[in-house]
Amino acid sequence: MVISKNFLSTGVDNQPIRHKTHVFFNKNYRTIYNEAVNVAYEAAVKNDRYANDYLFILENYKGNIIEQNLQVNLLKSSVVIPDSVKQREKELKQLLAVYTTRINQNTAESETRQLYEKLLSLQVELSRLQKKYEADESYKLYRFQSSDYRQSVKDVQQSIDGNTALVNYFYGDSTIYVLVITAELFSIKKINTDSAFRQSYRSFIEEVYQHEEGKRYEGLAVSEKLYDYLVKPVEQLAGNCKNWVIIPDGNLYYLPFEALVKNAARKDYLMLSRCISYHYSLTLLLGSTHHKPSGADAASIAFAPYFKTDSLIKKSGMAELPLSGQELNNVSDSVFLGSTATKKAFAEKAAGYPVIHLATHASISNDSNINWIQFYPSDPQDINNKLYVQEIYNLDLRKTELVILSACQTAGGAAVTGEGLLSLSRAFIYAGADGIVSTLWKTEDRVTSYLMQRMHIYLKQKMPPENALQQAKKDMLSNKELGAQYKTPNYWANFIYVGKLHADKTGKQSSYWFAIVTGVCVIAALLLVWVKRKKLRRFSDRIFEQAKSKFTSQ
């Protein structure tokens, strides 16, 4: 089987698709990877020597765009290039993000064609800028290494301690595959997504994503059913591991696993026995761009523009958040309240702080390009002082260990194949932040204030953010002064942590991984290993001929 050079070299800098340095999403990957994961699963369960191949496929499916951006930006920071070139590169990436997202959301053929033409023009210009970097010898070395490197199950196991389980889900057409890796174990299981599962999922999401005064939470029973589907198989494999890092896929990105219960009558939420955190891929979780934790000495900067009402706040149409100032009581460094909490102040100061806390309003929509975070409306002529997601992509947050987004739905967004939700929190990871605390649905001001104050107390005790958030939730459930109506998961389970493992959690040095070869090419390499059987050879040829026609037709 031969794949044409033109098919593989579709990146904006003549690299394979995986090595694109802009925010590019393509729905065509889903069908290809769904078939490839199924084949890899069947091979791996019959012979564990194919375990590395199964992992190889997953890692080339998930989180590639973020990983490539982090690796390339790290390298480019050492290349001597005029600032004007770097600025233009940022502008081009921003435009590429806008047009590509619109292509995936647009159904009008004529407009799609126009967007593709604009996209092609931008790609050509970005490719020309890329050649200025390619002249640097260290950059050439990176590209050579990143094309050939692949990690193994053993690499992953050596990067975690005996108390950590990595749980990687792949959501197929009618099956969920769950991969569990601990320091001693590698296992893959199939979960049948039958009609009962789908109904339980819909019912639970409807219950947990809303809270109204006087309305009783009715999600415990379906939560227990989802636990049996998704958590029980992991529990049997993870043993006594207390720290679970979940890498979701598809609709599972919307699911707060910590709110699932083993027994509805006892309300034994998974959060009470396991510290749950999330990420987009193992490569990102354990990658070389991890910052050194500053612990209790980490400087913090915080913004709460809406903690009280004034004339400009009223004009903005945004509601006052009276308790947002209180939630910053334990942030002892730079705190910007009210009229001082401007977008300009954020842009000038935030990137230099290890911890950034934003207690404000935010918005998400079907078009991820208009998602925003609200700052104080300081300009009477422009009361919408918003930080848009495209601007977040271009921030330099390589010194940032943690961003706390205590605003509504900052972890939510449209799900994109292999890349997770196009959320505000994901944009901060893309920009270089190690971890994000954000929300899946709308927050309640009193609950938010309590959880954030408690979390900061534990952060100052050098507790990793995922553990600090877990302990804050436990404190809330045991606090007798808080009303029982605030202790159901529709009030607290929306806060999640997405980010890196920490030194005091793993006890080991993270692996220094380079990015791996791209989507379709990697599947070809894997399937060629198995071409001993004629049936599989015909299967692999068919997959790639279909993929080839899809991409070349574009």
Side-chain angles (χ1 to χ4, degrees):
M1 180 179 64
V2 178
I3 302 297
S4 72
K5 181 179 179 181
N6 290 335
F7 176 55
L8 292 178
S9 300
T10 55
V12 297
D13 53 355
N14 284 329
Q15 299 181 57
I17 297 169
R18 172 101 197 264
H19 294 280
K20 290 185 177 181
T21 58
H22 59 81
V23 186
F24 184 87
F25 310 107
N26 199 302
K27 294 180 180 179
N28 292 336
Y29 286 156
R30 164 60 73 175
T31 301
I32 299 171
Y33 275 97
N34 187 56
E35 294 187 60
V37 167
N38 182 58
V39 171
Y41 168 81
E42 296 295 339
V45 294
K46 292 177 181 178
N47 191 328
D48 58 10
R49 69 188 180 94
Y50 292 117
N52 289 336
D53 297 314
Y54 183 88
L55 180 63
F56 194 35
I57 285 182
L58 282 187
E59 285 304 288
N60 280 271
Y61 171 71
K62 293 187 176 184
N64 294 335
I65 293 169
I66 299 176
E67 169 65 13
Q68 284 297 304
N69 188 65
L70 295 178
Q71 292 287 356
V72 171
N73 284 349
L74 182 65
L75 182 71
K76 286 182 175 180
S77 64
S78 63
V79 178
V80 180
I81 293 291
D83 290 340
S84 60
V85 174
K86 294 181 179 180
Q87 180 59 35
R88 182 55 182 163
E89 184 184 31
K90 286 184 178 181
E91 293 170 357
L92 291 172
K93 289 180 180 179
Q94 193 174 69
L95 289 171
L96 284 165
V98 172
Y99 292 139
T100 306
T101 304
R102 288 179 181 173
I103 285 172
N104 278 339
Q105 296 174 341
N106 188 8
T107 56
E109 184 177 347
S110 59
E111 187 173 347
T112 299
R113 190 181 303 110
Q114 293 175 357
L115 290 172
Y116 268 118
E117 291 174 357
K118 291 179 180 180
L119 201 64
L120 179 60
S121 176
L122 293 171
Q123 289 173 337
V124 170
E125 184 178 353
L126 189 60
S127 180
R128 290 170 181 165
L129 289 181
Q130 181 69 22
K131 294 185 184 300
K132 297 181 184 295
Y133 289 101
E134 291 175 351
D136 185 84
E137 291 300 321
S138 62
Y139 192 77
K140 291 179 182 178
L141 178 63
Y142 160 76
R143 289 186 60 184
F144 172 77
Q145 291 177 323
S146 62
S147 297
D148 295 332
Y149 191 85
R150 66 181 284 178
Q151 80 281 22
S152 67
V153 172
K154 186 176 181 181
D155 293 330
V156 176
Q157 291 176 320
Q158 290 178 343
S159 298
I160 59 177
D161 68 3
N163 203 29
T164 299
L166 308 179
V167 185
N168 198 332
Y169 291 93
F170 180 87
Y171 207 125
D173 291 339
S174 59
T175 305
I176 293 176
Y177 301 87
V178 57
L179 161 66
V180 179
I181 301 179
T182 69
E184 305 295 334
L185 173 142
F186 174 99
S187 184
I188 316 169
K189 282 187 175 292
K190 258 186 179 182
I191 300 169
N192 180 29
T193 54
D194 55 17
S195 59
F197 169 83
R198 292 188 291 272
Q199 180 57 47
S200 296
Y201 174 88
R202 287 192 294 268
S203 298
F204 178 68
I205 293 297
E206 288 174 4
E207 282 294 320
V208 80
Y209 267 62
Q210 57 83 33
H211 45 74
E212 300 175 12
E213 289 287 343
K215 187 179 186 304
R216 184 178 177 180
Y217 174 71
E218 301 285 357
L220 288 172
V222 288
S223 169
E224 183 178 344
K225 292 179 181 178
L226 287 179
Y227 188 103
D228 290 342
Y229 277 105
L230 298 171
V231 177
K232 188 174 290 184
V234 176
E235 221 172 24
Q236 295 168 353
L237 299 171
N240 294 323
C241 293
K242 297 298 183 184
N243 302 311
W244 288 13
V245 184
I246 294 176
I247 301 172
D249 186 41
N251 286 338
L252 298 185
Y253 276 106
Y254 299 101
L255 186 67
F257 280 78
E258 47 269 80
L260 302 182
V261 292
K262 188 171 186 176
N263 184 288
R266 295 198 302 264
K267 298 181 182 179
D268 51 352
Y269 302 110
L270 182 62
M271 179 272 299
L272 296 175
S273 60
R274 302 288 188 272
C275 178
I276 305 296
S277 64
Y278 301 86
H279 221 305
Y280 299 101
S281 74
L282 294 178
T283 306
L284 284 165
L285 176 70
L286 304 169
S288 61
T289 56
H290 182 47
H291 310 124
K292 294 181 179 179
S294 302
D297 298 326
S300 302
I301 188 170
F303 296 81
Y306 286 84
F307 86 108
K308 67 178 181 179
T309 300
D310 62 20
S311 60
L312 289 178
I313 295 294
K314 289 180 180 179
K315 287 182 180 179
S316 72
M318 297 289 177
E320 178 186 356
L321 299 173
L323 298 181
S324 62
Q326 289 185 23
E327 75 179 72
L328 305 182
N329 285 345
N330 291 311
V331 182
S332 59
D333 302 295
S334 299
V335 177
F336 294 79
L337 300 174
S339 61
T340 65
T342 63
K343 180 179 176 181
K344 181 180 178 181
F346 173 84
E348 291 176 350
K349 301 178 182 296
Y353 284 81
V355 179
I356 301 170
H357 188 136
L358 303 177
T360 182
H361 291 289
S363 176
I364 65 169
S365 68
N366 290 332
D367 185 352
S368 66
N369 296 293
I370 59 174
N371 294 345
W372 47 259
I373 296 172
Q374 180 73 46
F375 288 87
Y376 183 79
S378 56
D379 184 354
Q381 303 303 317
D382 183 15
I383 60 174
N384 294 318
N385 202 341
K386 297 176 172 64
L387 178 70
Y388 285 92
V389 68
Q390 302 99 315
E391 297 174 282
I392 300 172
Y393 284 138
N394 289 316
L395 294 175
D396 182 2
L397 298 181
R398 287 173 292 165
K399 296 181 181 179
T400 305
E401 297 167 19
L402 177 65
V403 177
I404 301 169
L405 302 176
S406 59
C408 293
Q409 299 172 287
T410 48
V416 172
T417 297
E419 295 296 330
L421 304 183
L422 296 188
S423 62
L424 292 163
S425 63
R426 182 187 179 279
F428 280 99
I429 294 284
Y430 182 91
D434 268 355
I436 311 291
V437 171
S438 54
T439 57
L440 286 168
W441 60 88
K442 290 183 178 181
T443 63
E444 201 283 330
D445 204 19
R446 287 160 290 189
V447 172
T448 299
S449 179
Y450 179 87
L451 286 176
M452 295 300 97
Q453 288 186 66
R454 298 302 300 172
M455 187 177 70
H456 274 289
I457 289 174
Y458 294 118
L459 288 174
K460 289 184 178 298
Q461 297 174 7
K462 296 188 177 183
M463 189 178 286
E466 62 269 43
N467 298 101
L469 180 60
Q470 178 198 28
Q471 191 57 52
K473 291 176 180 178
K474 287 183 175 181
D475 290 350
M476 180 178 170
L477 293 181
S478 62
N479 189 309
K480 296 181 180 180
E481 296 179 4
L482 288 173
Q485 70 269 29
Y486 299 124
K487 296 183 180 182
T488 52
N490 52 334
Y491 280 94
W492 53 260
N494 55 339
F495 283 90
I496 63 172
Y497 171 76
V498 178
K500 299 273 190 175
L501 290 170
H502 293 79
D504 61 341
K505 184 176 177 180
T506 64
K508 297 181 182 180
Q509 182 75 20
S510 292
S511 297
Y512 280 74
W513 295 353
F514 286 99
I516 317 165
V517 63
T518 185
V520 179
C521 182
V522 68
I523 303 173
L526 174 58
L527 293 178
L528 284 173
V529 176
W530 301 331
V531 294
K532 295 179 181 179
R533 294 182 295 170
K534 292 182 180 180
K535 182 178 179 181
L536 191 53
R537 180 182 285 112
R538 291 196 299 270
F539 169 71
S540 63
D541 286 343
R542 178 169 57 84
I543 292 177
F544 283 92
E545 285 302 316
Q546 290 174 352
K548 180 178 177 180
S549 63
K550 287 179 182 178
F551 280 101
T552 53
S553 65
Q554 295 176 4

